[in-house]
């Protein structure tokens, strides 16, 4: 199973390509991924993109689908359609390991030139450089949440 940790920065070129950081490519190899097929989509809750291994995307989307009945329930069908809107598969190119991220996703995440990749375990978040730090929890909020979560045990 692949786990992504750490942070890397990069630049988006004029064609919407960005080099997939070596620390995350290495994590995929260590995690046993034989293919470098990735899935990218807009994050549901934050102004960033989510990047999954293909297998992790299938696991996560199947879990969401388990609680839905899009064949018989209109609200579920509408949600499932929106959830899958703007989901793309990517394969890093062989030369430099570049990812060609669709411009619609870059625009939705406010990414123009500077990009930050942040590993959060099962996925990588891709942020506009200036947005990531502004959207992280403050130290005080992080401590409060840690205290609240530890009290549940």
């Amino acid at each position: 199973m692949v786990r992504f940790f750490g942070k890397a920065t990069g630049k988006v070129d004029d064609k919407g390509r960005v080099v997939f950081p070596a620390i995350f490519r290495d994590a995929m190899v260590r995690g046993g991924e034989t293919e470098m097929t990735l899935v990218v989509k807009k994050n549901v809750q934050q102004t960033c993109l989510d990047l999954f291994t293909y297998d992790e995307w299938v696991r996560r989307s199947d879990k969401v689908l388990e609680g839905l009945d899009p064949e018989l329930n209109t609200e579920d069908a509408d949600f499932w359609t929106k959830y899958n809107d703007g989901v793309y598969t990517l394969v890093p190119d062989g030369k430099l390991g570049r990812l060609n991220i669709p411009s619609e996703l870059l625009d939705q995440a406010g990414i123009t030139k500077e990009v930050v990749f942040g590993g959060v375990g099962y996925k990588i978040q891709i942020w506009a450089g200036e947005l990531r730090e502004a959207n992280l929890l403050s130290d005080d909020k992080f401590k409060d949440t840690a205290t609240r979560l530890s009290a549940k045990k």
Side-chain angles (χ1 to χ4, degrees):
M1 181 171 282
V2 179
R3 289 291 179 244
F4 298 108
F5 300 103
K7 180 172 76 169
T9 60
K11 293 190 184 297
V12 178
D13 70 13
D14 295 338
K15 296 180 181 179
R17 297 175 303 193
V18 62
V19 175
F20 186 46
I23 62 167
F24 298 128
R25 287 193 314 261
D26 293 346
M28 290 180 70
V29 171
R30 280 193 314 277
E33 284 293 319
T34 56
E35 292 186 37
M36 287 286 171
T37 302
L38 301 163
V39 174
V40 65
K41 72 181 293 293
K42 185 178 181 317
N43 183 291
V44 173
Q45 299 170 343
Q46 297 172 300
T47 307
C48 67
L49 304 177
D50 289 336
L51 189 66
F52 301 88
T53 64
Y54 182 82
D55 290 343
E56 186 66 30
W57 168 251
V58 169
R59 272 192 294 281
R60 297 272 165 183
S61 62
D62 283 352
K63 187 174 181 179
V64 171
L65 185 58
E66 283 177 14
L68 302 174
D69 186 357
E71 291 300 316
L72 299 176
N73 183 300
T74 303
E75 197 171 280
D76 288 359
D78 292 345
F79 172 83
W80 188 243
T81 299
K82 180 70 172 179
Y83 183 78
N84 284 284
D85 187 47
V87 174
Y88 295 90
T89 56
L90 304 175
V91 177
D93 70 18
K95 282 184 171 178
L96 301 173
R98 292 175 300 196
L99 298 173
N100 191 2
I101 300 172
S103 60
E104 98 181 60
L105 291 181
L106 293 173
D107 292 345
Q108 289 173 2
I111 297 170
T112 54
K113 284 287 178 199
E114 302 292 325
V115 63
V116 177
F117 292 84
V120 292
Y122 63 93
K123 68 181 178 180
I124 300 166
Q125 292 179 329
I126 305 173
W127 291 86
E130 64 279 0
L131 291 179
R132 184 175 186 273
E133 292 301 318
N135 281 278
L136 290 177
L137 286 179
S138 69
D139 288 345
D140 288 339
K141 181 71 174 169
F142 179 79
K143 289 175 189 175
D144 291 346
T145 302
T147 300
R148 179 180 52 81
L149 292 173
S150 68
K152 290 183 177 181
K153 296 199 175 229

